[in-house]
């Protein structure tokens, strides 16, 4: 992380992404009273989508931060390889915790919500690069 100027690696570090609606998925909150399957579905959406997007992300990092090495971005390569296993594990846990049609709807809703938020993040990034966004602007719902 030092290669991109990040001195502190912490889930509590405020990177100001919460101030940009298109980056809301990065820091979703978990309400202790919400159904477990909803939280798991949000993680599943992330584990499903990001491995295919990491190659573009890695390319962007190498173009943005001159001199960044493969060793310094190794996390993204490794994480991409592990995500299929994470997906399978999450699907098994979700399946064990679906007990009703309402649970299944919760899974669908939370998965779709994070998927739309990830698309919005990439739209934002493309607009910042003066490129055409993937979708039109629409209000994103927040989770938790």
């Amino acid at each position: 992380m030092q290669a991109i100027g990040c001195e502190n690696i912490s889930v509590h570090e405020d990177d100001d992404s919460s101030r940009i609606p298109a980056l809301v998925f990065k820091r979703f909150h978990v309400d202790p009273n919400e159904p477990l399957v909803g939280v798991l579905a949000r993680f599943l959406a992330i584990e499903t989508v990001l491995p295919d997007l990491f190659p573009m992300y890695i390319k962007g990092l190498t173009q943005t931060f001159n001199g960044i090495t493969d060793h310094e971005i190794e996390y993204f390569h490794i994480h991409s390889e592990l995500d299929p296993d994470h997906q399978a594990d999450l699907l098994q846990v979700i399946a064990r915790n679906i007990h009703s049609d309402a649970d299944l709807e919760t899974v669908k809703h939370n998965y779709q919500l994070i998927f739309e938020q990830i698309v919005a993040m990439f739209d934002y990034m493309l607009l910042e690069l003066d490129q055409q966004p993937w979708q039109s602007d629409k209000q994103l719902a927040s989770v938790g």
Side-chain angles (χ1 to χ4, degrees):
M1 297 303 283
Q2 292 174 349
I4 62 171
C6 181
E7 296 177 18
N8 186 14
I9 301 172
S10 169
V11 295
H12 304 292
E13 183 74 12
D14 185 3
D15 64 359
D16 287 334
S17 62
S18 61
R19 291 167 183 64
I20 302 170
L23 303 181
V24 70
F25 101 92
K26 289 183 64 191
R27 296 190 75 127
F28 71 76
H29 298 279
V30 176
D31 180 342
N33 298 317
E34 72 178 297
L36 176 64
V37 292
V39 176
L40 295 172
R42 296 197 305 268
F43 279 113
L44 179 65
I46 292 166
E47 297 291 338
T48 301
V49 173
L50 289 185
D52 290 334
L53 299 176
F54 271 154
M56 288 187 292
Y57 193 74
I58 291 167
K59 182 179 179 183
L61 284 174
T62 57
Q63 289 176 348
T64 304
F65 300 99
N66 293 334
I68 197 167
T69 67
D70 286 339
H71 176 71
E72 291 165 331
I73 56 174
E74 183 179 38
Y75 162 83
F76 299 105
H77 293 287
I78 293 171
H79 196 87
S80 293
E81 293 174 18
L82 294 176
D83 278 340
D85 291 339
H86 296 163
Q87 291 172 43
D89 292 344
L90 281 165
L91 284 168
Q92 288 178 5
V93 174
I94 290 170
R96 288 194 301 261
N97 286 281
I98 293 178
H99 305 293
S100 67
D101 287 344
D103 289 340
L104 187 56
E105 287 303 314
T106 298
V107 169
K108 289 178 185 177
H109 170 75
N110 280 271
Y111 186 94
Q112 181 66 30
L113 184 65
I114 293 297
F115 184 83
E116 289 174 1
Q117 290 175 352
I118 291 170
V119 169
M121 177 193 70
F122 279 93
D123 279 350
Y124 170 80
M125 291 168 59
L126 288 169
L127 287 170
E128 286 294 307
L129 297 170
D130 295 324
Q131 302 293 315
Q132 184 66 31
W134 292 345
Q135 66 176 7
S136 62
D137 284 338
K138 66 178 182 178
Q139 189 69 11
L140 292 174
S142 98
V143 180

